[in-house]
Amino acid sequence: MEPHQEISADASLFSAIDLIVQHDCVLVRDSERKISGIVTTHDLGVQFGSLAEPFLLLGEIENHTRGILTPLSRAELANAADPDDKDREIEDVADLTFGEYLRLLTDKKIWSKLGLKIDQKTFAGHMEDIRKIRNDVMHFDPEGIAPDDMKKLRSMVVLMRQVQILGAN
Protein backbone atom coordinates (compact mmCIF):
# COMPACT_ATOMS: atom_id res chain seq x y z
CA MET A 1 0.00 0.00 0.00
CA GLU A 2 1.25 3.46 -0.88
CA PRO A 3 1.12 6.37 1.53
CA HIS A 4 -1.75 8.75 0.74
CA GLN A 5 -1.25 12.26 -0.62
CA GLU A 6 -3.02 15.32 0.78
CA ILE A 7 -3.80 18.85 -0.30
CA SER A 8 -5.38 21.73 1.55
CA ALA A 9 -8.96 22.64 0.71
CA ASP A 10 -7.57 26.12 -0.02
CA ALA A 11 -5.15 24.83 -2.69
CA SER A 12 -5.96 25.62 -6.30
CA LEU A 13 -6.83 22.71 -8.51
CA PHE A 14 -4.03 23.74 -10.87
CA SER A 15 -1.40 23.45 -8.16
CA ALA A 16 -2.62 19.93 -7.35
CA ILE A 17 -2.85 18.53 -10.90
CA ASP A 18 0.60 16.92 -10.98
CA LEU A 19 0.09 15.32 -7.59
CA ILE A 20 -3.35 13.97 -8.55
CA VAL A 21 -2.09 12.58 -11.87
CA GLN A 22 0.97 11.01 -10.25
CA HIS A 23 -1.01 9.30 -7.46
CA ASP A 24 -4.46 8.92 -9.12
CA CYS A 25 -6.09 10.73 -6.20
CA VAL A 26 -5.42 13.03 -3.25
CA LEU A 27 -7.22 13.55 0.01
CA VAL A 28 -8.44 17.06 0.79
CA ARG A 29 -7.95 18.47 4.29
CA ASP A 30 -10.19 21.33 5.45
CA SER A 31 -9.24 24.31 7.64
CA GLU A 32 -9.91 22.25 10.78
CA ARG A 33 -7.41 19.65 9.51
CA LYS A 34 -10.13 17.05 8.91
CA ILE A 35 -10.24 15.02 5.72
CA SER A 36 -13.15 16.59 3.81
CA GLY A 37 -12.96 14.89 0.44
CA ILE A 38 -11.01 13.24 -2.31
CA VAL A 39 -10.05 14.44 -5.79
CA THR A 40 -9.34 11.81 -8.46
CA THR A 41 -8.01 11.82 -12.01
CA HIS A 42 -11.61 11.22 -13.06
CA ASP A 43 -12.57 14.48 -11.35
CA LEU A 44 -9.82 16.24 -13.31
CA GLY A 45 -11.17 14.84 -16.55
CA VAL A 46 -14.71 15.98 -15.77
CA GLN A 47 -13.48 19.46 -14.82
CA PHE A 48 -11.35 19.72 -17.94
CA GLY A 49 -14.28 18.66 -20.10
CA SER A 50 -16.62 21.23 -18.61
CA LEU A 51 -14.04 23.98 -19.13
CA ALA A 52 -12.84 22.92 -22.58
CA GLU A 53 -16.07 21.86 -24.29
CA PRO A 54 -17.41 25.39 -24.94
CA PHE A 55 -14.08 26.41 -26.53
CA LEU A 56 -14.00 23.29 -28.70
CA LEU A 57 -17.61 23.75 -29.83
CA LEU A 58 -17.04 27.42 -30.62
CA GLY A 59 -13.93 26.50 -32.59
CA GLU A 60 -15.91 24.02 -34.67
CA ILE A 61 -18.70 26.55 -35.26
CA GLU A 62 -16.16 29.17 -36.40
CA ASN A 63 -14.44 26.69 -38.71
CA HIS A 64 -17.76 25.74 -40.31
CA THR A 65 -18.65 29.43 -40.65
CA ARG A 66 -15.34 30.14 -42.39
CA GLY A 67 -16.03 27.22 -44.71
CA ILE A 68 -19.45 28.65 -45.57
CA LEU A 69 -17.95 32.08 -46.30
CA THR A 70 -14.92 30.83 -48.28
CA PRO A 71 -16.57 31.40 -51.70
CA LEU A 72 -16.71 35.15 -51.06
CA SER A 73 -14.25 37.48 -52.74
CA ARG A 74 -11.64 39.44 -50.86
CA ALA A 75 -13.62 42.64 -51.59
CA GLU A 76 -16.84 41.15 -50.20
CA LEU A 77 -15.01 40.07 -47.06
CA ALA A 78 -13.38 43.49 -46.68
CA ASN A 79 -16.79 45.19 -46.98
CA ALA A 80 -17.92 43.30 -43.87
CA ALA A 81 -15.04 44.64 -41.77
CA ASP A 82 -15.77 47.03 -38.95
CA PRO A 83 -15.60 50.54 -40.52
CA ASP A 84 -13.93 51.88 -37.35
CA ASP A 85 -11.03 49.45 -37.85
CA LYS A 86 -9.57 50.92 -41.05
CA ASP A 87 -5.98 49.83 -40.42
CA ARG A 88 -6.78 46.12 -40.42
CA GLU A 89 -6.18 44.31 -43.69
CA ILE A 90 -8.61 41.57 -44.66
CA GLU A 91 -6.80 38.90 -46.68
CA ASP A 92 -9.26 36.06 -46.19
CA VAL A 93 -12.21 34.94 -44.07
CA ALA A 94 -9.95 34.05 -41.11
CA ASP A 95 -9.21 37.77 -40.68
CA LEU A 96 -12.83 38.53 -39.79
CA THR A 97 -14.42 38.67 -36.35
CA PHE A 98 -17.50 36.68 -35.42
CA GLY A 99 -19.57 39.86 -35.63
CA GLU A 100 -18.29 40.40 -39.16
CA TYR A 101 -19.28 36.83 -40.08
CA LEU A 102 -22.74 37.71 -38.86
CA ARG A 103 -22.72 40.93 -40.90
CA LEU A 104 -22.04 38.87 -44.03
CA LEU A 105 -24.64 36.23 -43.20
CA THR A 106 -27.39 38.85 -42.76
CA ASP A 107 -26.64 40.51 -46.12
CA LYS A 108 -29.30 39.29 -48.59
CA LYS A 109 -26.99 39.59 -51.61
CA ILE A 110 -24.23 37.61 -49.88
CA TRP A 111 -26.73 35.04 -48.60
CA SER A 112 -28.02 34.51 -52.13
CA LYS A 113 -24.47 34.00 -53.42
CA LEU A 114 -23.75 31.40 -50.72
CA GLY A 115 -26.71 29.29 -51.86
CA LEU A 116 -27.38 27.81 -48.44
CA LYS A 117 -30.44 25.60 -48.17
CA ILE A 118 -31.67 27.06 -44.88
CA ASP A 119 -33.75 30.09 -43.91
CA GLN A 120 -31.47 33.12 -43.61
CA LYS A 121 -33.35 34.78 -40.75
CA THR A 122 -33.43 31.58 -38.68
CA PHE A 123 -29.75 30.85 -39.30
CA ALA A 124 -28.71 34.43 -38.51
CA GLY A 125 -30.76 34.31 -35.29
CA HIS A 126 -28.92 31.17 -34.19
CA MET A 127 -25.59 32.78 -35.08
CA GLU A 128 -26.48 35.86 -33.01
CA ASP A 129 -27.16 33.59 -30.03
CA ILE A 130 -23.77 31.93 -30.59
CA ARG A 131 -22.06 35.33 -30.83
CA LYS A 132 -23.40 36.30 -27.40
CA ILE A 133 -22.38 32.97 -25.86
CA ARG A 134 -18.96 33.28 -27.49
CA ASN A 135 -18.43 36.70 -25.92
CA ASP A 136 -19.27 35.32 -22.47
CA VAL A 137 -16.96 32.32 -22.93
CA MET A 138 -14.04 34.30 -24.36
CA HIS A 139 -14.29 36.92 -21.63
CA PHE A 140 -14.40 34.23 -18.93
CA ASP A 141 -17.80 35.13 -17.51
CA PRO A 142 -17.45 34.31 -13.78
CA GLU A 143 -20.86 32.62 -13.77
CA GLY A 144 -19.64 30.15 -16.38
CA ILE A 145 -21.77 28.88 -19.20
CA ALA A 146 -25.40 28.03 -18.57
CA PRO A 147 -26.68 24.54 -19.47
CA ASP A 148 -29.08 26.12 -21.97
CA ASP A 149 -26.15 27.87 -23.69
CA MET A 150 -24.23 24.58 -23.86
CA LYS A 151 -27.29 23.04 -25.51
CA LYS A 152 -27.34 25.89 -28.05
CA LEU A 153 -23.65 25.36 -28.84
CA ARG A 154 -24.11 21.61 -29.31
CA SER A 155 -27.21 22.14 -31.46
CA MET A 156 -25.42 24.71 -33.59
CA VAL A 157 -22.56 22.28 -34.27
CA VAL A 158 -25.11 19.70 -35.44
CA LEU A 159 -26.81 22.31 -37.63
CA MET A 160 -23.50 23.45 -39.12
CA ARG A 161 -22.57 19.86 -39.97
CA GLN A 162 -25.92 19.42 -41.71
CA VAL A 163 -25.47 22.69 -43.64
CA GLN A 164 -22.04 21.50 -44.73
CA ILE A 165 -23.44 18.17 -45.93
CA LEU A 166 -26.27 19.90 -47.78
CA GLY A 167 -23.82 22.30 -49.39
CA ALA A 168 -21.66 19.41 -50.60
CA ASN A 169 -24.62 17.81 -52.43
Side-chain angles (χ1 to χ4, degrees), residues 100-118:
E100 291 164 343
Y101 299 154
L102 197 52
R103 193 173 293 133
L104 287 166
L105 293 169
T106 56
D107 181 302
K108 291 191 184 305
K109 184 177 173 187
I110 295 292
W111 186 261
S112 176
K113 182 176 181 175
L114 296 173
L116 298 174
K117 297 171 177 89
I118 186 171

Side-chain angles (χ1 to χ4, degrees), residues 41-142:
T41 51
H42 172 76
D43 297 326
L44 287 179
V46 169
Q47 185 67 24
F48 175 76
S50 69
L51 293 173
E53 186 180 14
F55 288 96
L56 297 172
L57 292 170
L58 286 166
E60 185 170 346
I61 292 166
E62 288 202 40
N63 286 334
H64 282 296
T65 304
R66 289 177 183 148
I68 288 169
L69 298 173
T70 297
L72 300 180
S73 71
R74 198 169 167 186
E76 288 167 322
L77 295 173
N79 284 337
D82 184 345
D84 294 332
D85 195 3
K86 296 176 180 151
D87 295 334
R88 187 170 53 123
E89 192 167 329
I90 305 298
E91 300 279 330
D92 63 27
V93 70
D95 295 326
L96 298 176
T97 66
F98 203 90
E100 291 164 343
Y101 299 154
L102 197 52
R103 193 173 293 133
L104 287 166
L105 293 169
T106 56
D107 181 302
K108 291 191 184 305
K109 184 177 173 187
I110 295 292
W111 186 261
S112 176
K113 182 176 181 175
L114 296 173
L116 298 174
K117 297 171 177 89
I118 186 171
D119 180 69
Q120 179 186 19
K121 186 175 180 180
T122 301
F123 188 77
H126 290 308
M127 288 295 284
E128 175 60 20
D129 289 344
I130 298 305
R131 185 192 66 76
K132 290 175 184 173
I133 295 167
R134 182 188 181 283
N135 285 345
D136 286 345
V137 169
M138 295 303 176
H139 293 108
F140 301 100
D141 185 337

Side-chain angles (χ1 to χ4, degrees), residues 4-9 26-39:
H4 69 277
Q5 300 296 311
E6 295 181 12
I7 60 172
S8 166
V26 295
L27 299 177
V28 180
R29 224 176 250 286
D30 66 17
S31 60
E32 296 175 3
R33 305 279 307 137
K34 293 180 184 173
I35 298 295
S36 61
I38 184 171
V39 180

